[in-house]
Amino acid sequence: MSQDLRDLVRQEFEAAYGTTPIGVWSSPGRANLIGEHTDYNEGFVLPFGIDRRTFAAVGVRDDTRIRVGSTFSDEVAEIDIAELSPEAVDGWAAYPLGVAWALGQLGHADLAAVPGVDIMLESDVPVGAGLSSSAAIEGAVAIALAELWRLDLTRVELARVGRKAENDFVGAPTGIMDQMASLLGRDDAAVFIDCRSEEAEAVDLGLAENDLAILVIDTQVEHQHASGGYRERRASCEAGAAALGVASLRDVTVDDLPRAQQLLDDVTFRRVRHVVTENQRVLDTVATLASEGPTAIGELLDASHRSMRDDFEISVPELDLAVETAQENGAIGARMTGGGFGGSAIALVHRDLVSRLQVAVDGAFAEHGFAQPVTFTVTPSAGARRES
Ligand code: ADP
Ligand code: MG
């Protein structure tokens, strides 16, 4: 599939612009293995790049304009590099054009001196399914422009460029996790990120040698509360940190929880307990992967789900049903993933059990009168790269 998209995006580039691109670059979507609502608390997350990617075919122009097209839309956006500003661009084109702008804003590129470019995008990352199609675009465009504009940037710097584009050009207040996972992924590895220091390292997952798969169960539920609930949870975490006299919940450990329980009201305490125990579960997952391998992390995934369901209260019945059905049908572990109030769950499962699990989840959803979920496996895959 990916091979096809790589060739397809070249053809689409040639059809749209009437020239051949200099190259094709790609970057993956991502899923989060564990570490939810820990990023904005300066804690730990463990996402991985997936085997669904966004491809960017890019060519250099002899003027200072940027054009960007995508099979996502009929429209080709076009602007002079000097005119790039958050006010000047809206819609999907803000993601790729925001990357060019952010390279200038962060002092990596002199936008008055770089040549114009033509960009064509093609992707098999589902949009809005919690797999970060936005970071996949940012990663592909960032790595392409860095090479064509001859900028010597690390992967972490490119991730910051992507986040700046998303935060300040698109206007979506997200952390660094998605871009780090998309840029730093490796085959059969996750990316362990310390969101305080923004240091990241690849952690071997060992799924292939253990014949394991990760099944995504997209409940197709999109809750209206998602953004309000996210803001509210974030505010609770900030209130909890302030009441405990720390800069962020990163500074609270499991041993501090008894004291926190005495100081905080019940709801704030449970929000704090989720974040504190979730940080510990990420650390325990990294340690367990190294010492015992992936078959031993199931209970950590299950505990993460219980914590989000009972303490952070961001699950919904469809997510709980997906997780329980997976657990009852042979999954090693399962949890909801992403911001909550809908979206997807993931299950770690032996390859031979994937179909059985898919059938069981479909059946359970039908029995409960829920709309059919969409299920598919994802394979931890390499981060941004030049394809051709
Ligand atoms: P996600 O969870 O998938 O990252 P976001 O809302 O953060 O969801 O980003 C989705 C947006 O990214 C889309 O609404 C669109 O503007 C843009 N996008 C995603 N994929 C593409 C694509 N292939 N081409 C152009 N724009 C895209
Ligand atoms: Mg996104």
Side-chain angles (χ1 to χ4, degrees), residues 119-197:
I119 303 171
M120 181 56 70
L121 301 172
E122 178 59 82
S123 179
D124 63 1
V125 184
V127 175
L131 297 174
S132 207
S133 64
S134 58
I137 298 185
E138 290 150 9
V141 172
I143 190 174
L145 292 184
E147 187 174 331
L148 294 177
W149 287 349
R150 309 181 68 188
L151 313 173
D152 189 16
L153 299 175
T154 65
R155 296 277 164 142
V156 173
E157 284 169 323
L158 292 175
R160 293 198 185 110
V161 165
R163 178 181 51 180
K164 176 121 189 118
E166 186 139 354
N167 291 171
D168 300 334
F169 203 86
V170 176
T174 58
I176 191 82
M177 168 164 80
D178 299 354
Q179 293 83 10
M180 289 275 225
S182 189
L183 278 150
L184 290 157
R186 264 197 0 220
D187 283 338
D188 208 2
V191 184
F192 171 52
I193 305 166
D194 178 337
C195 297
R196 172 168 273 176
S197 66

Side-chain angles (χ1 to χ4, degrees), residues 269-343:
F269 171 66
R270 287 186 292 115
R271 305 296 188 250
V272 167
R273 182 165 61 186
H274 165 69
V275 173
V276 171
T277 57
E278 185 79 350
N279 273 331
Q280 189 58 49
R281 280 187 290 272
V282 176
L283 297 175
D284 291 348
T285 300
V286 171
T288 304
L289 283 168
S291 62
E292 295 171 69
T295 54
I297 65 169
E299 175 48 28
L300 290 161
L301 302 181
D302 294 348
S304 173
H305 185 76
R306 288 195 299 272
S307 180
M308 287 187 280
R309 182 189 65 197
D310 302 336
D311 275 354
F312 221 57
E313 296 182 281
I314 54 171
S315 191
V316 292
E318 288 86 345
L319 285 168
D320 291 340
L321 182 65
V323 166
E324 278 156 31
T325 307
Q327 288 162 343
E328 285 161 7
N329 285 275
I332 290 166
R335 58 183 285 274
M336 56 154 285
T337 181
F341 306 101

